[in-house]
Amino acid sequence: MNLAQLGLVEQSIFVFAALALLLSFLLLFQGRLTAMVHVFAWQGFLLALLTATVASVEHSHHLFLSAALTLMLKGLMIPWMLHRLIRKLHLERHQERLQHQALVMMAGAGLVIFSYWVVLPIARLELANTRNIVALSLAIVQLGMLLMVARRQVVAQVIGFMSMENGLFLAAVAATYGMPLVVELGIAFDVLVAAILFGVFFFHIRDSIESLDVDQLTQLSEEER
Amino acid sequence: MADLLNLKEWVAVLGQLLMFALAAPMLVAWVKRVKCVLQNRKGPSLLQPYRDLSKLLKKEVRVAHTASPLFRATPYLVFSAVLVAASTVPLLQVHLPTTALADVIVLVGFLALARFFLALAGMDVGTAFGGMGASREMLISALAEPAMLMAIFTLTMSAHSTNLSSVIQHVLDTGLLLRPSLLFALLALLLVAIAETGRIPVDNPATHLELTMVHEAMILEYSGRHLALMEWAAQIKLLLYGVLISNVFFPWGIAETATAPALAIGALAILAKLVTLGMVLAVSETLVAKMRLFRVPAFLNLAFLLGLLGMLSYVILETSL
């Protein structure tokens, strides 16, 4: 089977998935928090678009519902909440310089290759046309994890966590055309609740160590800063 | 080898070279004109670069006392290297004998040769500006070249050839196909082209401000016909990148046979593509501000990342389907 044998609409699914991977890399290098939230919102928007495209190609109407849910939650609601949090914490102008930028980029590319290698046996199963996207979604999950390792800012780490969930959702859509609706609803609201809880935690962390830099957590409060 | 010695095809190559050399100033003028319109100014005429070049060609050449013969030879070397590079990029028709002799990696090599001599000449006279410009140019090109090669490898992997004619023919044969790998390669090549031709976020061709200039700093000591050749070479380089990008990624309209109607359609098609590309360049230059020199590595890192992602998405998404 060849890419040329698919219609233009099917081909656009692959383009959306590849662009979602690119946005994961952009998240990794974006220093400004507000810009990070915007990139995250775009990723949610792309996922919703991809899900809607898969739904219309495969005529599975329950996927339209999860596309709408993704658009509402990950494209609009969670970015809006993160935006409000950043404004309340007065972090609009916060800019973090990523250390070892080239090294992190190499690690990210390595993770993409690794996830391709891991997914190869799955791709050999004749599941669906979109099975190759599973490798990309695994890469998005791992890039989210890499972001949480490489960044020291709590809000940035939370965005990394959320983008990991984006990767899992993409895997579900690509491999089996979505999960049962009950599971999907459960996960979606879990993420929403997590976003609210994280917001509460930000204020707690800031109150106790007067900073949102995670490296400060290793210091005892009696010590000189 | 038989078709390599065909006289008619070599006439076509010569005609293409002439077209590259004559059309290059027009593209620069067109970009300047659109920029002026966008900024509510009255732009210079489209013929202004030709007038500048002919004025410079008539003027006397002044050379610094400290200059070595290399300094005098460099304008001719740079101009001919860029022109030879231009001869390997199909302009009106897909098949050229030069693309069989020099593939796309040789094209990158010719451009690197021109840049090498340009940087040497910048340092030759021993002024501070020349050395500074040369070191900046080398910083930019050392980062731009891997990104460009990565984008080119993506292209050649999907076409199974490094020959530009076969690459274009392959894209023509497969028709309209939304390939993620080609999308990434296109974006990477656009960023590289901006950096290599010294356009705005990386370098500003319209300024002689000592803190920011890169290309202008290297040719600061040149005058008369030497300066004319240097500027002309830079203009041809911009046209070369424009033709490369538009003919490889959007080859529709290019002549597949060397008949007169096909060539006329090819000429119209490339004209329309370059006019569009020039407008895109002018709009992006108006929207974006010049970045600090130390931000340029991040810009080119992005280009490299795009090239790499193009290659990976070719392997992951398009081969085992």
Side-chain angles (χ1 to χ4, degrees):
Chain A
M1 186 113 141
N2 197 306
L3 197 64
Q5 286 163 297
L6 299 173
L8 276 184
V9 185
E10 276 119 319
Q11 289 167 24
S12 68
I13 296 174
F14 290 95
V15 175
F16 292 147
L19 284 179
L21 181 68
L22 174 67
L23 287 186
S24 259
F25 269 100
L26 290 186
L27 267 186
L28 203 55
F29 295 112
Q30 188 52 255
R32 283 180 192 280
L33 285 176
T34 40
M36 265 186 96
V37 173
H38 291 161
V39 175
F40 176 72
W42 275 110
Q43 199 177 34
F45 183 72
L46 260 182
L47 277 190
L49 202 63
L50 186 142
T51 315
T53 319
V54 171
S56 70
V57 169
E58 300 295 331
H59 306 290
S60 39
H61 296 288
H62 73 281
L63 269 182
F64 278 118
L65 207 63
S66 63
L69 205 65
T70 312
L71 181 66
M72 286 297 293
L73 281 180
K74 286 174 202 149
L76 300 170
M77 188 115 171
I78 292 176
W80 174 73
M81 279 169 57
L82 287 171
H83 230 287
R84 217 183 48 161
L85 264 176
I86 288 169
R87 249 181 296 139
K88 273 193 182 167
L89 294 164
H90 304 293
L91 288 172
E92 296 106 319
R93 304 222 154 248
H94 179 87
Q95 192 170 13
E96 185 186 2
R97 281 188 73 100
L98 185 66
Q99 288 168 336
H100 312 299
Q101 202 184 27
L103 211 62
V104 170
M105 194 186 91
M106 284 298 156
L111 284 179
V112 177
I113 296 170
F114 172 72
S115 44
Y116 169 63
W117 178 71
V118 168
V119 170
L120 262 184
I122 302 177
R124 284 207 197 96
L125 301 172
E126 297 282 319
L127 278 173
N129 283 338
T130 48
R131 64 187 181 277
N132 282 329
I133 294 178
V134 177
L136 292 196
S137 52
L138 191 62
I140 290 176
V141 172
Q142 296 193 11
L143 284 175
M145 212 152 13
L146 182 66
L147 194 155
M148 289 169 72
V149 173
R151 288 298 187 86
R152 285 172 306 171
Q153 230 285 334
V154 180
V155 183
Q157 292 190 343
V158 166
I159 295 176
F161 178 78
M162 300 277 173
S163 81
M164 275 173 74
E165 207 280 328
N166 277 353
L168 289 178
F169 179 76
L170 181 62
V173 171
T176 58
Y177 300 135
M179 295 171 272
L181 197 61
V182 186
V183 180
E184 217 154 276
L185 276 174
I187 292 177
F189 284 106
D190 264 0
V191 172
L192 189 63
V193 170
I196 296 168
L197 281 183
F198 282 135
V200 177
F201 270 114
F202 289 157
F203 287 103
H204 275 292
I205 294 173
R206 200 184 56 163
D207 283 346
S208 50
I209 66 168
E210 289 167 7
S211 159
L212 283 174
D213 191 332
V214 183
D215 277 7
Q216 306 261 336
L217 282 173
T218 54
Q219 285 178 335
L220 288 174
S221 55
E222 288 87 4
E223 252 178 57
E224 286 278 315
R225 283 216 182 90
Chain B
M1 278 314 269
D3 53 323
L4 280 184
L5 299 172
N6 190 337
L7 187 69
K8 216 173 121 192
E9 294 207 327
W10 284 100
V11 172
V13 171
L14 275 181
Q16 163 167 339
L17 269 188
L18 266 180
M19 249 182 277
F20 255 106
L22 292 180
M26 188 71 97
L27 179 65
V28 174
W30 169 246
V31 174
K32 202 178 262 175
R33 188 67 184 256
V34 177
K35 259 171 93 172
C36 284
V37 169
L38 285 172
Q39 295 165 355
N40 263 334
R41 292 188 286 140
K42 219 169 154 188
S45 120
L46 284 180
L47 298 177
Q48 191 57 42
Y50 297 99
R51 291 189 197 124
D52 290 345
L53 283 181
S54 69
K55 185 184 77 186
L56 283 175
L57 282 173
K58 278 181 219 144
K59 284 203 167 187
E60 184 193 3
V61 172
R62 307 291 293 172
V63 178
H65 296 299
T66 49
S68 69
L70 180 88
F71 186 78
R72 288 170 180 278
T74 296
Y76 304 102
L77 269 167
V78 168
F79 185 75
S80 41
V82 171
L83 210 57
V84 170
S87 75
T88 67
V89 181
L91 180 68
L92 297 184
Q93 56 172 345
V94 179
H95 294 289
L96 285 176
T98 42
T99 55
L101 290 176
D103 64 3
V104 66
I105 294 168
V106 179
L107 168 76
V108 176
F110 275 126
L111 292 178
L113 183 74
R115 197 179 312 115
F116 175 70
F117 277 102
L118 190 63
L120 275 188
M123 292 189 289
D124 186 61
V125 185
T127 61
F129 280 142
M132 193 183 67
S135 89
R136 287 177 176 178
E137 174 83 0
M138 281 298 132
L139 166 75
I140 292 172
S141 62
L143 293 166
E145 213 161 89
M148 180 167 181
L149 280 176
M150 214 38 126
I152 282 173
F153 288 151
T154 308
L155 269 178
T156 52
M157 269 168 85
S158 54
H160 303 293
S161 163
T162 54
N163 181 334
L164 263 182
S165 294
S166 335
V167 172
I168 293 174
Q169 191 66 51
H170 174 80
V171 178
L172 271 178
D173 287 344
T174 48
L176 181 62
L177 207 59
L178 295 175
R179 282 175 180 273
S181 60
L182 285 195
L183 178 71
F184 285 139
L186 169 65
L187 291 175
L189 259 186
L190 280 175
L191 295 188
V192 168
I194 285 173
E196 289 269 29
T197 54
R199 305 302 301 192
I200 277 179
V202 176
D203 183 15
N204 191 346
T207 179
H208 281 83
L209 193 66
E210 57 267 26
L211 285 176
T212 61
M213 59 184 176
V214 179
H215 183 255
E216 299 301 321
M218 281 187 294
I219 60 172
L220 206 57
E221 296 294 323
Y222 278 109
S223 59
R225 62 170 184 278
H226 289 165
L227 182 61
L229 282 180
M230 285 296 207
E231 302 231 312
W232 204 352
Q235 289 164 351
I236 294 174
K237 205 166 149 188
L238 181 70
L239 181 66
L240 188 156
Y241 273 101
V243 170
L244 182 72
I245 288 171
S246 46
N247 268 351
V248 167
F249 293 98
F250 311 101
W252 296 283
I254 193 170
E256 291 183 65
T257 50
T259 55
L263 285 177
I265 291 173
L268 279 180
I270 190 68
L271 189 67
K273 287 178 222 167
L274 285 175
V275 163
T276 322
L277 205 64
M279 286 200 315
V280 171
L281 181 63
V283 170
S284 78
E285 286 201 332
T286 311
L287 290 177
V288 178
K290 167 141 175 19
M291 62 170 87
R292 285 190 299 138
L293 184 72
F294 294 107
R295 301 270 297 162
V296 171
F299 178 82
L300 290 169
N301 243 347
L302 179 67
F304 181 77
L305 178 71
L306 282 166
L308 192 66
L309 278 185
M311 205 152 150
L312 288 176
S313 62
Y314 173 74
V315 173
I316 295 175
L317 291 178
E318 293 168 26
T319 48
S320 58
L321 197 68

